[in-house]
Amino acid sequence: MEKQNLDWGSLGFGYVKTDKRYVANFKNGAWDKGALIDDANVVISECAGVLQYAQTCFEGLKAYTTEQGKIVTFRPDLNAERLATSCEGLEMPVLPKEMFLDAVKQVVKANASWVPPYGSGATLYLRPYMFGSSSVIGVKPAEEYQFRLFGTPVGPYFKGGAKPITVRISDRDRAAPHGTGHIKAGLNYAMSLHNIQDAHKEGFAENVYLDPETHTYIEETGGANILFVTKDGKKLVTPKSDSILPSITRRSLVEVAKKYLGLEVEERRIAKSELKDFAECGLCGTAAVISPIGKIVDHGTEICLPSGMEKFGPVLQKLYDTLTGIQMGRIEAPEGWIMEIC
């Protein structure tokens, strides 16, 4: 298929309207068949549940052109499962996994000309989301819902390569104890917006949040999970908590660390006092895969990672290269990780 006439190498990480998007509606206790549509506008009641009580959740994944010229997606079944968990936590109807995967296939196929070519550094970012669409004035779940999925071509999250960033330990919480931190609810991100803007004003790229109960253990950032590498370079350590989002990228990197790189992996509570004991640190998520951290500032105290401020540390670089190699078809993927579209 002939590609769109875009300068793929100059794309930023932003929204570009594509040809088709998928829409399905839940009404009278059941989902309709869903369909591809042209209209990118959402029309709902002024009293819709999403507008009154933030009843919405979302996912994020990508479609890639592999080295072999095929268009694929990466572990979309896990996105379907996580969306289901989010829906259950917000009293929203669960979209069947088969329906979710079919929506992914339909949107990618219909927008195949928008999937960037291999080697361009760009991908087709997919955003599935669901919201309460019927009118709600009392505090209760909506009765009707809409699921939508669109795709937009995006460039690399970091232009010119990922340089290590400086982050700060936050005084604010991103989630309440026993709250909604473990689901991908829009309200979690709304709560972090003021804090991230404040961090940027103070010269920091992100906030590192501590556990909301004791403020002594590392959790995650406003939009990504966090990884650490021990000073001997043999162990990957990630925080374990009931109030952080189970990142699909993090779960994949954990498996890559074990099976491809032969690293030991620990998923455990990580005390803030341990930060000085690690050699490498990075954020991980769909957008950037891994973003290296060079410095963590804890209320004026600087913790400088030995990996430095110039480039990835060696272990995180290997993790990044291996996972992106799997996604792009350069390295053989574990069974079930890649869904071929066309």
Side-chain angles (χ1 to χ4, degrees), residues 11-221:
L11 283 176
F13 198 86
Y15 175 73
V16 176
K17 181 183 174 183
T18 52
D19 297 328
K20 301 285 185 178
R21 65 273 314 134
Y22 178 95
V23 178
N25 292 285
F26 182 88
K27 188 175 182 179
N28 297 324
W31 288 101
D32 64 18
K33 292 182 179 180
L36 292 173
I37 65 169
D38 298 326
D39 191 358
N41 296 307
V42 179
V43 180
I44 51 176
S45 165
E46 64 183 350
C47 198
V50 61
L51 301 178
Q52 304 308 314
Y53 303 117
Q55 203 180 11
T56 181
C57 57
F58 68 98
E59 280 295 321
L61 65 159
K62 290 178 177 179
Y64 312 83
T65 301
T66 68
E67 190 175 40
Q68 297 76 25
K70 298 177 180 178
I71 295 177
V72 305
T73 56
F74 181 72
R75 308 193 79 178
D77 55 315
L78 297 187
N79 292 98
E81 292 170 8
R82 191 169 63 180
L83 181 70
T85 299
S86 297
C87 288
E88 289 168 352
L90 294 170
E91 285 299 318
M92 299 168 71
V94 170
L95 187 81
K97 181 189 286 190
E98 297 75 16
M99 197 170 179
F100 180 96
L101 296 176
D102 181 59
V104 170
K105 291 177 182 176
Q106 287 195 48
V107 168
V108 175
K109 282 183 179 179
N111 295 294
S113 67
W114 294 93
V115 180
Y118 175 78
S120 64
T123 56
L124 185 73
Y125 185 83
L126 302 173
R127 172 51 59 86
Y129 62 108
M130 190 190 302
F131 55 88
S133 55
S134 60
S135 301
V136 178
I137 198 68
V139 181
K140 62 179 181 179
E143 295 181 355
E144 298 175 7
Y145 296 84
Q146 188 168 103
F147 169 80
R148 299 177 72 100
L149 194 158
F150 65 85
T152 181
V154 297
Y157 202 72
F158 299 102
K159 287 290 185 183
K163 288 286 188 180
I165 59 175
T166 299
V167 300
R168 72 176 182 184
I169 299 293
S170 177
D171 288 324
R172 291 176 175 266
D173 295 329
R174 65 163 290 276
H178 318 296
T180 59
H182 66 291
I183 64 177
K184 206 165 176 66
L187 58 91
N188 293 343
Y189 296 81
M191 291 174 66
S192 73
L193 294 178
H194 171 75
N195 205 25
I196 189 62
Q197 292 300 110
D198 182 67
H200 290 165
K201 289 176 185 176
E202 296 296 324
F204 301 101
E206 250 292 8
N207 294 291
V208 175
Y209 292 97
L210 304 176
D211 72 289
E213 202 154 14
T214 71
H215 285 190
T216 56
Y217 294 97
I218 301 297
E219 292 242 314
E220 62 176 324
T221 68

Side-chain angles (χ1 to χ4, degrees), residues 284-301:
C284 62
T286 298
V289 183
I290 300 176
S291 172
I293 293 173
K295 185 188 298 182
I296 302 171
V297 179
D298 182 8
H299 299 86
T301 299

Side-chain angles (χ1 to χ4, degrees), residues 164 278-281 292-294 304-314 316:
F278 295 110
E280 300 176 44
C281 177
I293 293 173
C304 298
L305 280 298
S307 52
M309 292 296 296
E310 294 300 318
K311 60 182 181 179
F312 270 95
L316 291 185

